[in-house]
Amino acid sequence: SSDLMENKASLEERERMMKDEVANCKTRCENLEKQNQLLHEQIESLSNKVVASVQDDVHGALNVSLSEEGKSHEQILEILRFVRREKDIAETRFEAAKIGRA
C-alpha cells in the first residue's frame, strides 16, 4: 500500500511537471508566432521600400538621361537595358519576399 501511494505521488508529480512543460511550450510557441509575424511585416515593409526606391531610382535615371541633349541611340539603349535589369532585380526581390512571407 505504501508503494502504491508512492507510485501515485510520483505519477502525480510527473503529470504536474508535464503539464507545466506543455504550458511553457505553448507560451514559447505563441511568442515565436508573434515574433514571426513581426518579422514578416518587417520583411514586407522593407520589400516595399526597396521596390519603391528602385522604381524612384529608375524613373529618376530615365528622366535625367532622356532629358539631356546629345544622347546617342546607343546610350539610350544602354539606359533601357539598365532599367530592365533593375526592374528584373526588383521583381525578383519582391517575389523572394512574398515567398518568405508564405
Side-chain angles (χ1 to χ4, degrees):
S1 176
S2 147
D3 285 344
L4 186 60
M5 295 295 273
E6 286 178 24
N7 284 341
K8 184 179 177 186
S10 175
L11 284 174
E12 287 174 351
E13 176 62 20
R14 205 177 312 162
E15 181 182 18
R16 185 194 62 74
M17 289 172 57
M18 288 182 168
K19 284 181 180 179
D20 287 348
E21 186 175 342
V22 167
N24 288 339
C25 287
K26 283 182 181 179
T27 300
R28 185 167 183 252
C29 185
E30 290 168 359
N31 289 338
L32 289 173
E33 286 176 355
K34 288 176 186 174
Q35 287 178 358
N36 194 30
Q37 180 63 34
L38 287 172
L39 288 172
H40 281 285
E41 289 170 5
Q42 289 175 348
I43 288 171
E44 185 175 358
S45 174
L46 183 59
S47 174
N48 292 338
K49 288 178 184 177
V50 167
V51 169
S53 175
V54 168
Q55 287 176 343
D56 289 347
D57 290 348
V58 168
H59 286 66
L62 189 60
N63 288 339
V64 169
S65 298
L66 292 179
S67 67
E68 293 177 16
E69 294 183 0
K71 292 290 181 191
S72 71
H73 180 71
E74 188 60 37
Q75 288 171 316
I76 292 173
L77 289 177
E78 183 60 35
I79 292 167
L80 290 175
R81 283 191 287 271
F82 167 78
V83 169
R84 287 184 185 131
R85 276 194 311 267
E86 291 298 318
K87 178 181 169 259
D88 289 342
I89 290 169
E91 287 175 346
T92 302
R93 287 180 180 164
F94 180 72
E95 290 300 317
K98 279 185 7 184
I99 291 170
R101 283 187 291 154

